[in-house]
Amino acid sequence: MEMFNKKVLKERLGKLEKNTNLRDLEDVEGYVIRKCKEVDLEYSYDVLAEEMLYFKTMGYTEMAGNFYLQPLNFKMRFEAIIDAWYDTDEYPIIDFASHMANRVKEKTANKYQNRDQNFDGYRDVEYLAILPGSNKLKGNTCLNKLKYLKKKHGDNLYFKPHPITTHAVVGELKDLLGDENVLPRDIDLYHFVNKVKKIYSTHWSESVVNSVALGTPVEAIDVYNDINRASFYSISSQAFAHQAYGKEWINKTFSSPKSGIINPYIDKDWKDKVDKYFDYITKKRDQYKLWFIDEKLKEELKKEDKI
């Protein structure tokens, strides 16, 4: 299990430490791994790749305090969120939006521990741009859009670097956008999220769906090319599109087992929800088993004298 494996987290996060309030997701991880083994699927934590429609790997990660299941195939994970919104099966509608909004308001939504709580000297602003880490900033964030926003909002805007941003990149941001407009990377993001009237973010960030849960308008700052490769594109794209009735969208979509969203804090029978998700996604996957024949399937078909 990798979600809370100290060696894995050290490699991924360096000196950063994952927030202990996510610890209950470890039980979900263990159960999901058992389900993957039952249906002969591989599993991978916090990784995205593009396998065939008859995918071989179930990906999973944490997203806005939830456990999020997403197969390593774009069409499958994207359609799952849409299927969840239009789900006509009977299932309890849970108030995910209020749960997520309260985590933000209470400043317990941070993914990382020990966020700087010293806010002396910072001005009140109405706009906040939330940036991805160094590895996603230049290739996946539109720097022209950032410069446009700086010109548009002036000193009424802060840019918040991701905690996983190098000092060198923070320096470049300050040169580009103004030293006084770039917040420290380790300061508590949600102190500022709670104060602004509009947020700018990327499809890579859970701040999109958190903003929608709060009822705060949110706008994209991504580079459009390859935008569908973003970690949370399947959710963020729909959250952006449905923000006019965002809380309703969150509650109905995330409550559906088809979403792959599991929250042991508020899903009363989360194991049953996991079971129903696997039943849904494996049946959806099975429809495409013979559409594209890879090496593994070719060998299976040879054994059955079908090829």
Side-chain angles (χ1 to χ4, degrees):
M1 301 210 313
E2 295 186 355
M3 187 173 268
F4 295 93
N5 182 289
K6 290 183 179 180
K7 182 179 178 181
V8 171
L9 294 180
K10 181 71 174 177
E11 291 173 355
R12 290 172 179 265
L13 305 179
K15 294 181 180 180
L16 289 172
E17 295 183 22
K18 187 180 289 188
N19 205 319
T20 55
N21 63 18
L22 295 170
R23 197 77 201 189
D24 282 358
L25 300 183
E26 189 171 25
D27 292 336
V28 183
E29 180 185 25
Y31 190 74
V32 162
I33 289 173
R34 290 196 294 275
K35 291 297 295 185
C36 287
K37 291 177 179 178
E38 285 177 16
V39 297
D40 196 28
L41 280 175
E42 298 176 15
Y43 50 90
S44 183
Y45 168 61
D46 205 28
V47 171
L48 280 187
E50 186 61 14
E51 298 180 349
M52 295 203 298
L53 286 164
Y54 190 74
F55 59 88
K56 65 180 182 180
T57 310
M58 178 62 67
Y60 65 92
T61 190
E62 57 276 290
M63 194 282 304
N66 305 293
F67 190 99
Y68 179 34
L69 286 153
Q70 49 177 350
L72 298 195
N73 175 270
F74 171 73
K75 176 180 169 67
M76 286 290 178
R77 59 181 176 267
F78 182 73
E79 289 185 356
I81 298 301
I82 296 173
D83 289 348
W85 170 235
Y86 290 106
D87 195 352
T88 57
D89 294 341
E90 290 188 11
Y91 56 90
I93 303 297
I94 299 167
D95 195 354
F96 273 83
S98 291
H99 174 77
M100 292 159 60
N102 287 337
R103 292 177 74 249
V104 173
K105 292 172 185 175
E106 295 165 5
K107 294 197 288 187
T108 59
N110 278 302
K111 188 175 179 178
Y112 308 109
Q113 295 185 46
N114 304 318
R115 300 298 83 204
D116 185 1
Q117 300 295 315
N118 183 5
F119 308 113
D120 293 342
Y122 294 102
R123 63 188 185 274
D124 289 335
V125 299
E126 294 182 301
Y127 302 95
L128 178 68
I130 301 171
L131 309 177
S134 297
N135 60 331
K136 300 292 186 296
L137 183 60
K138 293 182 180 179
N140 301 100
T141 308
C142 182
L143 299 183
N144 288 325
K145 180 72 175 282
L146 300 187
K147 289 190 287 186
Y148 165 78
L149 293 175
K150 170 62 176 68
K151 194 80 170 179
K152 179 180 180 180
H153 297 304
D155 293 337
N156 202 18
L157 165 72
Y158 272 134
F159 296 91
K160 172 61 174 71
H162 191 279
I164 305 177
T165 306
T166 65
H167 288 296
V169 171
V170 171
E172 290 177 25
L173 286 171
K174 290 180 176 180
D175 290 340
L176 180 70
L177 304 168
D179 183 83
E180 70 284 357
N181 297 314
V182 178
L183 291 168
R185 63 182 183 177
D186 290 322
I187 202 162
D188 186 351
L189 166 67
Y190 291 103
H191 170 81
F192 298 92
V193 168
N194 282 316
K195 289 176 172 288
V196 298
K197 72 176 187 180
K198 185 171 182 177
I199 287 171
Y200 298 95
S201 190
T202 67
H203 289 73
W204 295 86
S205 176
E206 62 185 28
S207 63
V208 173
V209 75
N210 274 333
S211 299
V212 174
L214 283 170
T216 303
V218 57
E219 183 178 321
I221 52 175
D222 306 75
V223 171
Y224 190 74
N225 291 346
D226 295 327
I227 196 171
N228 61 313
R229 294 186 180 182
S231 306
F232 300 130
Y233 179 81
S234 299
I235 289 177
S236 294
S237 61
Q238 297 302 302
F240 277 123
H242 293 288
Q243 34 185 326
Y245 41 94
K247 294 179 182 181
E248 177 190 357
W249 176 81
I250 288 173
N251 291 340
K252 187 175 187 305
T253 300
F254 285 19
S255 295
S256 168
K258 295 175 181 176
S259 68
I261 295 290
I262 312 296
N263 192 313
Y265 297 99
I266 56 178
D267 279 316
K268 290 184 179 179
D269 192 349
W270 61 263
K271 289 184 178 180
D272 180 66
K273 193 177 182 184
V274 171
D275 292 345
K276 288 177 177 175
Y277 172 78
F278 271 89
D279 182 62
Y280 153 75
I281 203 68
T282 52
K283 285 179 179 176
K284 189 175 179 72
R285 168 182 180 254
D286 286 345
Q287 297 174 37
Y288 301 99
K289 182 172 183 178
L290 296 174
W291 279 42
F292 307 98
I293 299 177
D294 62 3
E295 199 63 32
K296 180 180 179 182
L297 181 55
K298 183 184 81 171
E299 294 304 316
E300 289 179 12
L301 293 173
K302 276 185 175 180
K303 289 180 182 178
E304 298 173 6
D305 198 27
K306 293 180 178 179
I307 193 172

